[in-house]
Amino acid sequence: MGAYEYNPWSTAITEEFEITDLECYPNPVRINEGRGALVIRYPGILEEDGYMLKIYNTKGQVVRVLGMSKGYSGISWDCCNYSGNIVGSGVYFIRLMKDDSYLAQRKITVVK
C-alpha cells in the first residue's frame, strides 16, 4: 500500500506564527557619500511609552539603541553607530523591545 509516515493531507493542527507589523524601508539601505537613512515603523505603539529599538550586527553586538516616543509610530536611523560613525556594509538586525521583552525583529542590509 505504501508508507503512512508521509501524508500531505494530514488533519493535524499546526500552530500559526504571528506576523508582526515592524516595517523597515528602504531595504537594502544605500549609503551614498555619507548619506542614508532607514525608516522603521511599528504602527501599533501610538499610545504607550517604553518601546526601544536595538540594532545588532551579525556578531550579535549592539550597534545602536533608539528610543521610540509616545505618539510616534516610527523613527529614522541614520546608519550610524554609538560613536557617530557610519556602519559598514552588511546585514543588521533590528529588534523591537518593550520592558526588556522581545516583540519583533527584521533583517536589513546596508550597502555602501
Side-chain angles (χ1 to χ4, degrees), residues 34-65:
R35 295 180 184 209
L38 178 76
V39 176
I40 307 162
R41 293 188 62 235
Y42 191 82
I45 63 171
L46 293 172
E47 301 301 323
E48 296 183 33
D49 261 337
Y51 288 93
M52 71 173 65
L53 292 166
K54 289 188 177 182
I55 302 169
Y56 296 87
N57 60 16
T58 54
K59 295 178 183 178
Q61 300 167 327
V62 178
V63 175
R64 185 95 180 257
V65 176

Side-chain angles (χ1 to χ4, degrees), residues 28-95:
V29 180
R30 299 190 193 286
I31 301 173
N32 298 324
E33 300 173 8
R35 295 180 184 209
L38 178 76
V39 176
I40 307 162
R41 293 188 62 235
Y42 191 82
I45 63 171
L46 293 172
E47 301 301 323
E48 296 183 33
D49 261 337
Y51 288 93
M52 71 173 65
L53 292 166
K54 289 188 177 182
I55 302 169
Y56 296 87
N57 60 16
T58 54
K59 295 178 183 178
Q61 300 167 327
V62 178
V63 175
R64 185 95 180 257
V65 176
L66 303 170
M68 298 184 78
S69 301
K70 182 178 177 180
Y72 292 94
S73 63
I75 196 166
S76 177
W77 176 45
D78 58 0
C79 297
C80 290
N81 59 14
Y82 283 117
S83 304
N85 300 324
I86 295 174
V87 297
S89 296
V91 176
Y92 293 86
F93 299 93
I94 298 176
R95 212 173 237 202

Side-chain angles (χ1 to χ4, degrees), residues 17-23 40-46 48-54 56 66 68 93-107:
F17 293 104
E18 183 178 315
I19 298 172
T20 62
D21 293 326
L22 187 62
E23 300 170 356
I40 307 162
R41 293 188 62 235
Y42 191 82
I45 63 171
L46 293 172
E48 296 183 33
D49 261 337
Y51 288 93
M52 71 173 65
L53 292 166
K54 289 188 177 182
Y56 296 87
L66 303 170
M68 298 184 78
F93 299 93
I94 298 176
R95 212 173 237 202
L96 179 67
M97 312 279 290
K98 179 168 173 56
D99 301 327
D100 294 329
S101 297
Y102 163 78
L103 298 175
Q105 178 172 295
R106 285 288 183 257
K107 178 173 69 170

